[in-house]
Amino acid sequence: MLYNRKKHHLENSLPKSIHSTQPPLKFIPQNFNPLILQMMRWCLPFILRFRTRPWLTAGVVKIEAENAEILAELYQQFQAGKIRFLIAFRHPEVEDPLCMLYLLSRLVPKAARQHQINLQEPIHSHFIYERGMTLWAGNWLGWLFSRVGGVPVRRGRRVDKLAIQTARDLFANGKIPIAVAPEGGTNGHSGIVSPLEPGVAQLGFWCVEDLQKSDRPETVFIVPVAIQYRYVQPPWAKINWLLSKLEADSGLTVQSISPSQIDNPGEIYHERICRLGEHLITEMEEFYRRFYHQDLPQIPNQPFITRLHRLLDTGLKIAEQYFDVPAQGNFIDRCRRLEEAGWNYIYRDDIPDINSLPPLKRGLADWIAEEADLRMQHMRIVESFVAITENYLKEEPSSDRFAETALLMYDMLTRIQNSTLPGRPRLGLRQVKITVGEPISVTERWEKSQNNRHAARQAASNLTKDLQTALENLIN
């Protein structure tokens, strides 16, 4: 009964599938307001602790930082006009921006006091957020983000000129630093860093160039920051409940376990997740074979991860064929391009006034928008599983990793059953560890790459690789 009530609440709170064409997604200019920021800071502990919206799982009761004094020293040098820097933070969960706000508003000032580092308010940063967040959260989020320093970006666009120009100007000239999640989106894993997008490195090199053109002496840095979530108490009973629900919803016999086995982090949970994963892949393979006429031969003893990757590729190909988008790059790259292609069919920049369309054209536009939204669901399912690896659970069979994997499966089943945005169940209270890494000098790399254009491109690529390595080292 409890779950049914929650389910009813979610169904009446979350956005449903799109059935009509929509106005274009306009750029939301940043309009920083210190008063709004201060109000956010006051409310932050409550927001972190309690779930205020179905899409916000929250339940964070403790946040601690390692090496926060590094950021305190960087802010001191920034405020003295000696450096510019960008915070490149990991993005495993939707709560990451709240955790970063807590880091900058509470933990960095605390570290500054402990190390007798004098700082001026505000200790804050501009940040880049994905424009689509306002679609599932509501227009209020765009209003709020703009007033606490946010810059929206269309991820899939080859060049989002206005967003890039704004971020570039803020990096070089803003009164506070800027923060970016170089993974481009959440992957649901505290222990895996997704492939980084090249935008952070490019912003760094642009900032150096802009400073050089203005004869300014500041040194430019990128600071890697890792965010990891842990449950305060291992939520084995909740994981058992969630797996039982997923088994029932997917048509499997629920695998009951005895009370003595519930808190046993042994093979039983691993076996259940593998059994459920195999079943879901088999069902989806048959779905694509029968209704989308895909050639998915049944190969005996084929490794699980091979089947999963083949299935993800199939889902993306179906959407790519519809939108006429080339299948280039890794899964994340392909998801980004498909998202932008779908938005171009739904949020029509080419229609000045939707309401002025004659009924025929309006009907056709609505038809295209609805079908585009359905085709994008293939990509949304793929998004949930891009970071899955074969050995993630075997390497560390912890309750945290079992919970992450089970919740990703929940996302998939909920997307198929109900809405475009699943409301996750809360499995337990969580604590967060934020680790600040050593700053990476962009200026030094830029100076060494001025011989030719090829050297500059290689330097940007190497910077992205080194940032990836730095983030991976911070979580290991």
Side-chain angles (χ1 to χ4, degrees):
M1 287 297 293
L2 177 62
Y3 179 78
N4 288 336
R5 288 198 296 270
K6 286 183 178 180
K7 179 178 178 182
H8 177 76
H9 174 65
L10 292 175
E11 288 177 346
N12 285 280
S13 302
L14 299 173
K16 295 294 184 180
S17 298
I18 291 172
H19 299 288
S20 61
T21 190
Q22 304 293 314
L25 292 175
K26 295 182 179 179
F27 181 77
I28 305 173
Q30 75 88 23
N31 184 21
F32 181 64
N33 186 321
L35 179 60
I36 300 298
L37 173 62
Q38 187 57 50
M39 293 175 64
M40 273 289 294
R41 288 174 168 180
W42 288 335
C43 298
L44 188 58
F46 178 83
I47 297 173
L48 284 166
R49 176 63 178 82
F50 298 101
R51 185 198 312 221
T52 56
R53 289 289 296 268
W55 47 268
L56 184 62
T57 54
V60 174
V61 294
K62 180 181 180 182
I63 301 178
E64 57 184 8
E66 186 175 326
N67 304 328
E69 67 276 7
I70 292 177
L71 275 177
E73 292 170 355
L74 289 172
Y75 268 96
Q76 185 183 52
Q77 295 178 58
F78 180 95
Q79 293 174 353
K82 297 179 180 179
I83 67 170
R84 311 292 299 183
F85 70 91
L86 178 151
I87 301 172
F89 65 95
R90 274 235 54 215
H91 198 11
E93 302 285 353
V94 296
E95 291 85 7
D96 301 336
L98 297 175
C99 295
M100 288 299 299
L101 178 58
Y102 191 93
L103 170 70
L104 297 182
S105 65
R106 285 171 168 77
L107 301 183
V108 169
K110 178 181 178 181
R113 291 191 296 270
Q114 292 174 343
H115 292 81
Q116 298 182 337
I117 300 171
N118 294 322
L119 297 179
Q120 303 170 13
E121 285 289 344
I123 309 302
H124 188 57
S125 73
H126 292 288
F127 58 95
I128 295 178
Y129 68 95
E130 204 272 307
R131 179 63 175 85
M133 292 181 67
T134 62
L135 301 180
W136 50 261
N139 291 333
W140 67 270
L141 189 67
W143 181 92
L144 176 63
F145 277 1
S146 72
R147 282 155 179 80
V148 293
V151 178
V153 65
R154 296 274 290 269
R155 293 184 305 188
R157 280 191 170 178
R158 182 172 298 179
V159 180
D160 191 342
K161 291 184 179 180
L162 193 51
I164 291 173
Q165 289 171 356
T166 302
R168 180 173 179 172
D169 179 66
L170 289 172
F171 195 175
N173 304 306
K175 295 182 180 180
I176 52 179
I178 189 168
V180 182
E183 292 165 279
T186 62
N187 70 4
H189 290 76
S190 283
I192 297 177
V193 180
S194 294
L196 304 190
E197 298 182 357
V200 166
Q202 186 60 68
L203 279 174
F205 279 89
W206 280 337
C207 185
V208 177
E209 292 174 3
D210 293 341
L211 296 177
Q212 291 284 332
K213 291 176 182 177
S214 302
D215 293 323
R216 290 165 56 185
E218 296 105 310
T219 303
V220 178
F221 292 98
I222 291 177
V223 189
V225 175
I227 302 176
Q228 292 178 286
Y229 295 81
R230 295 286 184 269
Y231 287 95
V232 176
Q233 296 293 332
W236 292 115
K238 288 291 186 68
I239 294 173
N240 175 55
W241 165 82
L242 180 56
L243 289 176
S244 297
K245 172 176 170 46
L246 295 177
E247 288 164 346
D249 287 353
S250 62
L252 283 172
T253 302
V254 175
Q255 188 173 344
S256 60
I257 60 177
S258 65
S260 62
Q261 293 175 307
I262 286 180
D263 295 327
N264 179 14
E267 288 295 318
I268 187 167
Y269 289 96
H270 187 270
E271 290 174 359
R272 291 179 74 182
I273 284 182
C274 288
R275 172 174 172 256
L276 180 60
E278 290 276 354
H279 177 73
L280 292 176
I281 287 178
T282 299
E283 287 289 321
M284 293 305 295
E285 285 175 339
E286 179 59 26
F287 171 73
Y288 283 126
R289 274 193 210 100
R290 180 178 178 185
F291 297 106
Y292 289 89
H293 319 295
Q294 297 298 303
D295 183 19
L296 295 171
Q298 295 176 317
I299 303 174
N301 302 319
Q302 190 174 30
F304 172 85
I305 199 68
T306 302
R307 290 180 66 193
L308 176 62
H309 286 171
R310 185 181 69 168
L311 184 63
L312 299 183
D313 179 66
T314 299
L316 291 177
K317 280 181 178 177
I318 288 169
E320 287 163 345
Q321 289 168 2
Y322 175 76
F323 290 113
D324 194 24
V325 171
Q328 296 176 348
N330 58 36
F331 288 144
I332 296 175
D333 296 333
R334 294 165 69 183
C335 285
R336 298 288 182 267
R337 281 195 295 273
L338 283 170
E339 180 177 65
E340 181 61 22
W343 283 3
N344 287 338
Y345 280 34
I346 298 169
Y347 304 94
R348 300 287 294 273
D349 292 308
D350 59 324
I351 302 177
D353 182 7
I354 294 173
N355 295 323
S356 68
L357 291 175
L360 172 61
K361 289 190 176 182
R362 178 61 187 265
L364 291 174
D366 291 347
W367 186 354
I368 287 298
E370 184 171 13
E371 187 166 2
D373 183 61
L374 285 172
R375 295 285 179 165
M376 288 175 70
Q377 298 313 307
H378 298 282
M379 178 271 293
R380 294 300 180 199
I381 291 175
V382 172
E383 271 189 323
S384 298
F385 295 97
V386 293
I388 292 287
T389 64
E390 188 171 14
N391 298 319
Y392 190 61
L393 294 178
K394 290 182 180 179
E395 291 172 351
E396 186 183 317
S398 65
S399 62
D400 298 290
R401 294 196 174 190
F402 282 118
E404 288 175 354
T405 305
L407 286 170
L408 290 176
M409 292 179 172
Y410 176 87
D411 290 347
M412 172 190 170
L413 265 68
T414 307
R415 285 189 187 279
I416 292 173
Q417 294 176 75
N418 295 323
S419 68
T420 58
L421 178 69
R424 282 184 163 189
R426 184 190 295 179
L427 300 184
L429 299 177
R430 295 182 296 171
Q431 55 191 5
V432 180
K433 179 182 179 182
I434 303 176
T435 308
V436 181
E438 290 296 326
I440 301 172
S441 173
V442 183
T443 302
E444 180 181 334
R445 292 166 183 258
W446 182 87
E447 292 172 346
K448 292 179 179 179
S449 67
Q450 292 309 292
N451 297 329
N452 56 63
R453 186 175 297 179
H454 173 73
R457 287 197 298 266
Q458 188 61 48
S461 176
N462 291 340
L463 177 55
T464 300
K465 292 177 182 177
D466 291 345
L467 179 58
Q468 175 105 28
T469 300
L471 289 171
E472 289 172 347
N473 289 338
L474 290 177
I475 64 173
N476 292 327

